[in-house]
Amino acid sequence: MDWSKIKTIFIVTFLILNIYLLNEFYKKYDSSQYDYVSETSFENKLKTEEIEYAELPKNVKKNALISATPKKFSKDELMELTNTILQGQSITIKNETTIESELKEPFPIKDEFNLEELAPLLKNHVFQGEQYRFWKVNEAEQTITYYQQIDGKQLYKNVSGELTFYLDKENRITGYRQTLLEDVEELSEEENIHQPIKAIETLYENGRLPFGSKITKVELGYYTLVHLTSSQVLTPVWRVVLDEEEDVFVDAFFEGNIIQLDNEDQKIVE
């Protein structure tokens, strides 16, 4: 056996490997430098346009598509609970997946709505009420809407994970309607998502951020990508709040498009 030749082969092999790894390192370094310069350039554009934005979420790099199914409720299941969920209300289950409640005594709330007021109601009278997070008050329709959270991320305008309280003319809650998603599973391995600054850039490039705009909140949640009869496929989406009143949604996966969300019709638009 010619050890000198073997030694030479090993040296050449390791040299080629080192050159390859060094080349890959420089590629990634150049790419990161480009991303940094690009991001810095865009931030300068925002400053020129006097567009302000709140602190963006950090360390949100990966997420996955998930599936979930609408929960089928049973009155027996509700009656087995140890809390007071059936006390003080009359419950009807419709189509197995919807709870409709009528409170025997209306629950008064103040004119200046405070989330803390509804905490006892959520805890004591709503099935798994801790899973829901406040969405909006609709004064015209006299409703207060909450949406379910999955892994700390809120569902957006999803009729299968929704909790709606109904108010009377005296600003008292008279009942509610509830749906819930369960059996949540990841459909894919976690993949890189578009960062929040890219969502803002998408809005800017599509003319959704006029001069002097204020972005008051950016958060990651889920919307329904595919709505089947028995289940849903949900994908991560950035919710961008403009001037504390307008919600705009940008897909965090795929092409990073602006999304038009409707409770009944959910589709990707440019």
Side-chain angles (χ1 to χ4, degrees):
M1 183 177 292
D2 192 338
W3 289 107
S4 63
K5 286 185 178 180
I6 294 175
K7 182 179 178 181
T8 302
I9 290 172
F10 272 109
I11 292 173
V12 172
T13 301
F14 280 113
L15 181 61
I16 293 171
L17 178 61
N18 286 335
I19 291 172
Y20 171 77
L21 293 175
L22 190 61
N23 184 52
E24 289 299 304
F25 169 79
Y26 277 119
K27 280 183 181 178
K28 290 185 178 181
Y29 176 79
D30 287 343
S31 175
S32 66
Q33 288 295 98
Y34 175 79
D35 289 342
Y36 173 76
V37 171
S38 176
E39 184 174 315
T40 302
S41 175
F42 174 61
E43 288 175 347
N44 288 334
K45 283 184 182 179
L46 295 182
K47 289 179 181 178
T48 302
E49 296 287 330
E50 296 186 15
I51 296 171
E52 300 176 8
Y53 57 89
E55 185 176 354
L56 301 179
K58 297 177 181 177
N59 300 320
V60 184
K61 296 181 179 179
K62 293 189 175 184
N63 213 305
L65 293 175
I66 61 173
S67 69
T69 57
K71 178 172 178 55
K72 294 183 178 181
F73 298 99
S74 71
K75 206 149 191 174
D76 289 341
E77 176 184 36
L78 300 181
M79 291 180 70
E80 288 174 0
L81 296 176
T82 57
N83 62 19
T84 59
I85 192 166
L86 287 182
Q87 295 179 19
Q89 63 181 311
S90 173
I91 282 182
T92 302
I93 298 174
K94 291 195 173 182
N95 301 321
E96 295 186 309
T97 60
T98 304
I99 289 176
E100 291 194 354
S101 165
E102 182 179 344
L103 301 183
K104 294 175 182 177
E105 291 188 13
F107 187 90
I109 60 174
K110 297 175 183 177
D111 291 335
E112 293 184 4
F113 175 66
N114 186 328
L115 282 176
E116 295 301 318
E117 291 183 85
L118 266 63
L121 198 59
L122 285 167
K123 180 179 179 181
N124 298 322
H125 294 286
V126 177
F127 179 74
Q128 295 187 13
E130 73 283 352
Q131 289 199 38
Y132 297 86
R133 199 177 92 196
F134 172 74
W135 178 249
K136 280 183 180 176
V137 175
N138 188 320
E139 294 182 359
E141 296 182 3
Q142 293 184 288
T143 58
I144 301 172
T145 302
Y146 284 65
Y147 284 111
Q148 185 181 349
Q149 297 182 95
I150 294 177
D151 294 330
K153 301 177 186 67
Q154 191 170 29
L155 304 182
Y156 297 133
K157 299 189 178 182
N158 192 317
V159 294
S160 298
E162 186 177 58
L163 174 63
T164 302
F165 292 105
Y166 300 107
L167 289 82
D168 61 16
K169 294 181 180 179
E170 297 177 22
N171 215 38
R172 302 178 303 173
I173 293 175
T174 58
Y176 63 85
R177 178 184 181 278
Q178 178 188 8
T179 54
L180 181 73
L181 287 173
E182 64 175 3
D183 298 330
V184 178
E185 295 181 2
E186 288 192 358
L187 292 180
S188 64
E189 292 186 5
E190 288 194 336
E191 298 178 14
N192 291 332
I193 61 174
H194 300 295
Q195 291 303 292
I197 192 66
K198 293 296 292 183
I200 294 174
E201 188 172 1
T202 296
L203 298 182
Y204 178 82
E205 291 176 347
N206 283 272
R208 300 298 295 271
L209 297 177
F211 184 89
S213 295
K214 287 182 173 57
I215 298 169
T216 50
K217 187 175 186 179
V218 179
E219 66 174 2
L220 191 66
Y222 287 110
Y223 89 100
T224 304
L225 181 65
V226 180
H227 198 160
L228 304 174
T229 304
S230 59
S231 64
Q232 293 185 21
V233 176
L234 299 110
T235 187
V237 62
W238 288 110
R239 174 196 178 199
V240 182
V241 184
L242 306 178
D243 299 315
E244 297 186 350
E245 55 183 31
E246 182 186 0
D247 293 306
V248 188
F249 303 92
V250 180
D251 187 12
F253 265 177
F254 310 116
E255 298 299 320
N257 293 321
I258 297 174
I259 296 174
Q260 183 65 47
L261 283 190
D262 250 335
N263 282 57
E264 301 300 328
D265 180 27
Q266 299 169 333
K267 59 184 181 181
I268 294 179
V269 298
E270 184 152 315

